[in-house]
Amino acid sequence: MKKLVFATNNLNKLKEIKFAVDNFEVIALKDLDIHEEIPETGITLKANALQKAKYIFEKTGLDCFADDTGLEIEALDGKPGVYSARYAGPECDSEANMQKVLRELEGSENRKAQFKTVVALIIDGKEFFFDGKVEGQILKFKTGTDGFGYDPIFCPFGYDRSFAEISLELKNKISHRGLAIRQLINFLK
């Protein structure tokens, strides 16, 4: 079975990916004793995903993949976008990021948003890209306890529950990351 390193230290992303894949083995960075923060200085999701994948490929020489995800909110001119993980500041967490978004959208009727993910894959030194997008809206308050990041305030169109209220199986079927990972899985078949 093909083995690929997933260039992330985010245990929530790792859990989602391992749940979704069945045709290759996902190796976590912790299994390689890599715990440092991976640089993310690009101004696009694609640039960040590639930067992370290259960092691990150059460090280990192993085939790997990385993702970068952004939440784009129409009323905020596409923010937080590529800065989603650190929207409330460099030392922030998901709670602070969500609270900032909710404050900035107070009084706004336009709550349309979308999540985008880009996955960068490096195999034998060659680069490949896969992307996924899901449209929805930002809720007025947090709901649900599962998921991570902005999941408690994002409701995909066609559903009446936030990403934090749906099963991991359903989330992997409809989410931005799930769509991009399915493309990766199909590519590797």
Side-chain angles (χ1 to χ4, degrees):
M1 180 178 276
K2 181 93 177 139
K3 294 182 180 186
L4 289 175
V5 177
F6 184 22
T8 187
N9 282 308
N10 183 320
L11 298 179
N12 291 306
K13 284 185 182 183
L14 187 62
K15 178 182 172 186
E16 278 189 12
I17 299 301
K18 284 190 170 191
F19 184 84
V21 302
D22 58 6
N23 63 331
F24 61 92
E25 181 183 344
V26 177
I27 301 169
L29 291 181
K30 64 182 175 115
D31 297 333
L32 300 173
D33 204 29
I34 299 173
H35 303 285
E36 70 259 27
E37 205 53 40
I38 301 173
E40 247 183 295
T41 57
I43 59 169
T44 65
L45 299 175
K46 183 177 181 179
N48 279 340
L50 182 59
Q51 183 180 22
K52 291 187 276 188
K54 277 185 171 179
Y55 181 87
I56 296 303
F57 181 75
E58 289 169 3
K59 187 175 184 76
T60 67
L62 300 172
D63 293 339
C64 64
F65 68 101
D67 85 310
D68 198 30
T69 295
L71 173 65
E72 299 174 348
I73 301 169
E74 192 173 273
L76 301 180
D77 297 322
K79 292 178 187 168
V82 72
Y83 304 106
S84 294
R86 50 200 177 278
Y87 191 49
E91 301 300 319
C92 65
D93 59 13
S94 294
E95 182 63 29
N97 290 334
M98 282 188 288
Q99 292 306 321
K100 181 174 181 177
V101 164
L102 292 174
R103 275 192 312 276
E104 290 180 339
L105 286 178
E106 274 182 28
S108 175
E109 290 303 312
N110 179 5
R111 302 183 81 81
K112 186 176 179 188
Q114 62 184 10
F115 269 119
K116 285 185 178 177
T117 291
V118 176
V119 172
L121 169 68
I122 300 178
I123 293 184
D124 300 325
K126 295 182 183 128
E127 301 167 6
F128 304 91
F129 297 93
F130 312 92
D131 55 21
K133 175 177 82 170
V134 63
E135 295 181 339
Q137 64 181 343
I138 301 298
L139 301 171
K140 294 190 177 185
F141 50 87
K142 292 174 17 183
T143 61
T145 57
D146 292 331
F148 65 99
Y150 295 92
D151 286 356
I153 63 170
F154 183 82
C155 179
F157 286 149
Y159 294 84
D160 60 359
R161 294 175 288 160
S162 75
F163 267 168
E165 296 176 292
I166 63 176
S167 70
L168 185 55
E169 183 177 11
L170 178 57
K171 185 180 177 193
N172 276 338
K173 283 183 183 172
I174 64 172
S175 79
H176 47 294
R177 186 172 297 106
L179 294 169
I181 292 299
R182 254 193 318 286
Q183 291 174 31
L184 169 67
I185 290 168
N186 291 335
F187 175 81
L188 293 170
K189 283 187 176 174

